[in-house]
Amino acid sequence: MAKILVTGGAGYIGSHTCVELLNAGHEVIVFDNLSNSSEESLNRVQQLTNKTLVFVQGDIRFEKELDQVFQEHKIDAVIHFAGLKAVGESQKIPLTYFDHNIAGSIQLMKSMEKAGVFTLVFSSSATVYGELNPSPYQEDMPLSLPNNNYGYTKLMIEQMLQKIALAEMRWSIALLRYFNPVGAHQSGQIGEDPQGTPNNLMPYVTQVAIGRREKLSIFGSDYPTADGTCERDFIHVVDLAKAHVLAVTNRLDQQGCRAWNIGTGIPISVLQIKETFEKVNRIVIPTEFVHRRVGDLAAFYADASRAKNELGWRPQYTLEDMLADSWNWQKQNPNGYKS
Ligand code: NAD
Ligand code: WQD
């Protein structure tokens, strides 16, 4: 069993991953500046697992804060979630994104190297495949510049990680390319809690369902897809969390830098999300069709066979589970962790 530092561990995917790590018997130290999360998520992780974790409030951009964590704890591996993730915001304040995501990741790599810790799992994104690759995306396809600054930071960090692993054999790095994470822990105790207006589809749908928003706007109905709305590869956050446990175990045992897609491989349209949510949860989601959102691709989904073959990872949850669990979380926590 390993001692794992989880940067950004209080956030949506991080908190679910802490549950799976603790349940698998690992020790967890969360390092998070709480800029987009609440410590309450970690209280609930501990209640759910009946285990304790260590929480350190700190910022990955700051050398002293990070170095202190590595000095105080004998860390075996790092799972790195910390960063900013709003695509639209990244177009308005690119420097802030470069600072938190790129400079923050560089600082983390430096502190790891100083402490002699070389095992890292990084939260990457399907966005690194850019606009030109056909779906299903495969890990060895050539990557290209994403059309937004958030995606650019993910591509840059991936490339830096590839290069440090080539230069120094002790590094062992997993690049997990997530598709579209949705859902919540089945207890409804932890889930996605966006600040302000949600950027992503799923929290928008659940906030309409709970009455915090009037209606869902579907961005575009004239895409070259089966029903004219965009198609994405939605993945249950608990399946995604479990992939991190498998990836960190794999990396503690291997060298080099390796990428894995974490998606179901099944394209689902935005309209299907709305209709299935209504059916599964017996709630009507008032909806309007509006113009396309700038930068959206018509469709993309994963070829997830590498994660299956090499990590033994298989998604277990269905679309219906994802939508029922998202609603269960929102229903029990109408105002997120503030309720
Ligand atoms: P989140 O915002 O819920 O979690 C990120 C956490 O990082 C938050 O708790 C935040 O407080 C913390 N943080 C931000 N900047 C920090 C800093 N400088 N120092 C320390 N902590 C900091 O987001 P999430 O959805 O859980 O995403 C986790 C990771 O996965 C991110 O790197 C994101 O880019 C990546 N990712 C997310 C998605 C998605 O759709 N949710 C898809 C692909 C990749
Ligand atoms: C999904 C679909 C929208 C909101 C983004 C990032 C990606 C990754 C996941 C981090 C799209 C449509 C949405 C709404 C809508 N994140 N939509 N009405 O854009 O696929 O991916 O999050 O790495 O990098 O780009 O996710 O949830 O924003 O949108 O119609 O109110 O839902 O147009 O087709 P996206 P999303």
Side-chain angles (χ1 to χ4, degrees), residues 66 70 75-80 104-122 157 160-175 250-258:
L66 265 184
F70 284 104
I75 309 283
D76 297 303
V78 177
I79 303 183
H80 176 32
S105 296
I106 293 174
Q107 184 53 59
L108 176 65
M109 295 176 230
K110 283 161 87 174
S111 294
M112 287 178 69
E113 196 171 53
K114 210 188 293 179
V117 180
F118 292 97
T119 304
L120 175 67
V121 176
F122 173 60
I157 299 162
M160 284 190 289
L161 292 171
Q162 301 265 16
K163 288 180 197 302
I164 62 167
L166 272 181
E168 162 59 78
M169 296 302 284
R170 281 178 294 174
W171 280 103
S172 181
I173 299 171
L175 309 172
N250 172 286
R251 290 294 91 186
L252 282 164
D253 204 35
Q254 313 256 338
Q255 287 176 327
C257 185
R258 189 88 174 141

Side-chain angles (χ1 to χ4, degrees), residues 142-153:
L143 305 181
S144 63
L145 266 187
N147 61 13
N148 62 79
N149 295 321
Y150 163 76
Y152 170 72
T153 68

Side-chain angles (χ1 to χ4, degrees), residues 201-235:
L201 176 64
M202 201 62 240
Y204 209 101
V205 169
T206 58
Q207 289 195 9
V208 172
I210 203 75
R212 276 169 68 181
R213 316 255 158 218
E214 191 191 337
K215 60 180 175 235
L216 170 71
S217 301
I218 293 186
F219 302 140
S221 53
D222 57 352
Y223 283 99
T225 56
D227 65 23
T229 66
C230 290
E231 292 173 346
R232 295 288 181 270
D233 182 337
F234 296 94
I235 173 78

Side-chain angles (χ1 to χ4, degrees), residues 276-284 327:
T276 314
F277 185 95
E278 292 181 324
K279 199 167 99 201
V280 168
N281 298 314
R282 298 199 182 89
I283 295 175
V284 174
W327 176 230

Side-chain angles (χ1 to χ4, degrees), residues 7-15 31-38 41 58-62 65 80-86 99-101 104 122-127 150 153-154 176-182 191-193 200 237 240 244:
T7 75
Y12 172 45
I13 307 168
S15 56
F31 186 85
D32 196 307
N33 66 2
L34 301 181
S35 61
N36 196 37
S37 54
S38 144
S41 67
D59 194 303
I60 53 165
R61 294 168 300 166
F62 303 145
E65 295 180 7
H80 176 32
F81 294 105
L84 304 179
K85 63 162 184 176
D99 190 28
H100 283 262
N101 294 10
F122 173 60
S123 296
S124 189
S125 166
T127 190
Y150 163 76
T153 68
K154 292 291 173 191
L176 297 189
R177 295 179 183 153
Y178 314 159
F179 282 68
N180 288 60
V182 296
E192 188 169 13
D193 183 22
N200 296 110
V237 67
L240 177 57
H244 290 77

Side-chain angles (χ1 to χ4, degrees), residues 310-327:
E310 296 181 0
L311 300 177
W313 177 79
R314 277 171 190 70
Q316 290 163 350
Y317 293 97
T318 64
L319 178 63
E320 284 75 12
D321 296 329
M322 300 180 208
L323 301 177
D325 291 342
S326 291
W327 176 230

